Amino acid sequence: MSLDLPLIWAGLIATGVLLYVLLDGFDLGVGILFPFSRNKEDRDVMMNTVAPVWDGNETWLVLGGGGLLAAFPLAYSIVMPAFYLPVILMLAGLILRGVAFEFRFRGQRRGRPFWTAMFAFGSILAAFAQGLILGGFIQGVEVANERFAGGTFDWFTPYTLLVAAGLVCGYALLGATWLMWKTTDDLHGDARRWAVISGALTALFLLGVSLSTLVVHPVVAERWGWTGGALDIGRFLPLSWIPLLGLIGLVLVGVGVRRASHGLPFVGAALVFLSGYAGLAAGFFPYVVPYAVDFRQGAAPDNALGLMLVGTVVILPLILAYTSWVYWVFRGKVTSEAGYH
């Protein structure tokens, strides 16, 4: 029995993107929350909670983007021209926050506030740009003769702005719950308050985006059983676990915050993102360019996919092992005495 290489690579890239969203999401969230911290000392602790892992978290973006280019070149050639500007904004934000991360620890008294602001700005810019890309992806991409046939600003609509704002709030929720897990004393209390606010906003945006998505594209609405202004229970029931998972996640966040828990809110926030990701997959699978090119049409030849899979089978477990080891080594609470620079 031969391997279904296009399906395997679609799963690998989807997994890489999910890991990026969850892992880099919380350290982007820490940056988003920077403007609300009390003082320099709290900001130092916030940065030290992600200092050992933030660079490695972005590895998964390489798997997602590089994997799309290598495994689905047709899809890459269509998607990139459709989202050139938001992709450039995202990369600019990631570069800016990376530079600010290093320079802030080494900056002099007058320079440190500038790099503090740049770290927050870069985090917000990267998160917002990712939301614009996600929103434009859900809207669909206009394709003709296997080429992008839309306009330069097709990705810029009220819907994509709604998705972008929701993703920023979602990342803030991940960041706040991460800080609840990793910090103590006043900062833990601040993170608890931030989790309440960002959790409420995330829930509102999730509801708004979900309802708007049913209007934006009829293909998604039909898959969820919403046709002709009525809900088809037979189609909706097999997918009902997805919104239920998100609801469970929000409940865990609420319960964890109320009890001033440490790890439980972060688990809840991760479940919320997992629910949203599963909802997206249910909406446009098997398309890699919604709603024009599926993963089989866009895949590279099997011999190329097979060769890349051999390398991936070797490298990916090493990356997972190393990442797990780093999180294990730097487990536990981070205090003002800790420092990784």
Side-chain angles (χ1 to χ4, degrees):
M1 185 179 71
S2 60
L3 296 175
D4 191 342
L5 293 172
L7 181 60
I8 290 172
W9 270 102
L12 285 172
I13 292 173
T15 301
V17 172
L18 175 61
L19 287 172
Y20 170 77
V21 168
L22 290 176
L23 297 180
D24 205 38
F26 72 73
D27 61 56
L28 283 170
V30 169
I32 292 167
L33 294 170
F34 240 48
F36 307 103
S37 57
R38 295 174 185 240
N39 49 50
K40 169 190 169 298
E41 289 71 26
D42 280 357
R43 288 188 287 272
D44 287 345
V45 173
M46 291 168 71
M47 291 193 84
N48 279 326
T49 65
V50 298
V53 297
W54 75 275
D55 218 1
N57 290 342
E58 294 182 353
T59 302
W60 302 105
L61 182 62
V62 177
L63 175 61
L68 183 65
L69 170 62
F72 301 97
L74 175 60
Y76 187 90
S77 70
I78 296 171
V79 169
M80 281 303 295
F83 300 111
Y84 269 141
L85 287 178
V87 167
I88 290 172
L89 288 175
M90 178 189 72
L91 294 177
L94 292 175
I95 292 170
L96 179 59
R97 72 187 293 269
V99 172
F101 196 102
E102 299 297 335
F103 275 52
R104 182 183 177 276
F105 278 107
R106 292 167 173 80
Q108 301 300 318
R109 180 171 296 181
R110 287 189 297 178
R112 181 167 290 207
F114 172 77
W115 292 114
T116 294
M118 290 302 99
F119 180 72
F121 176 72
S123 300
I124 295 170
L125 177 61
F128 195 80
Q130 289 176 16
L132 293 175
I133 296 169
L134 175 60
F137 202 72
I138 299 171
Q139 282 183 162
V141 177
E142 188 175 345
V143 179
N145 299 320
E146 297 187 339
R147 294 183 179 181
F148 173 59
T152 305
F153 294 98
D154 284 0
W155 50 268
F156 191 75
T157 65
Y159 176 77
T160 61
L161 292 174
L162 180 68
V163 174
L167 188 61
V168 171
C169 292
Y171 280 168
L173 174 62
L174 278 175
T177 54
W178 171 259
L179 291 173
M180 286 185 66
W181 192 359
K182 298 292 288 184
T183 62
T184 59
D185 302 328
D186 289 342
L187 185 52
H188 181 273
D190 289 341
R192 184 182 177 190
R193 185 177 69 254
W194 297 334
V196 171
I197 297 171
S198 58
L201 290 174
T202 299
L204 289 174
F205 276 112
L206 263 178
L207 179 61
V209 169
S210 299
L211 295 177
S212 300
T213 302
L214 299 179
V215 177
V216 166
H217 211 291
V219 172
V220 178
E222 185 177 352
R223 289 194 176 189
W224 281 90
W226 186 260
T227 54
L231 183 64
D232 184 341
I233 299 297
R235 287 190 176 184
F236 174 74
L237 279 180
L239 301 176
S240 60
W241 65 271
I242 297 175
L244 180 60
L245 182 65
L247 182 60
I248 291 172
L250 289 172
V251 170
L252 290 179
V253 171
V255 171
V257 167
R258 184 174 181 180
R259 295 178 179 177
S261 178
H262 295 272
L264 187 62
F266 186 77
V267 172
L271 288 179
V272 171
F273 270 82
L274 184 60
S275 168
Y277 198 73
L280 292 174
F284 58 71
F285 184 81
Y287 295 106
V288 286
V289 181
Y291 300 85
V293 178
D294 65 34
F295 71 92
R296 297 194 188 281
Q297 294 171 315
D302 278 0
N303 57 350
L305 295 178
L307 180 62
M308 292 187 296
L309 185 61
V310 172
T312 303
V313 167
V314 175
I315 295 173
L316 192 58
L318 294 177
I319 296 174
L320 289 169
Y322 172 74
T323 300
S324 301
W325 179 74
V326 169
Y327 276 91
W328 174 255
V329 169
F330 293 99
R331 67 192 183 279
K333 296 289 186 178
V334 176
T335 64
S336 57
E337 288 78 24
Y340 304 112
H341 282 69

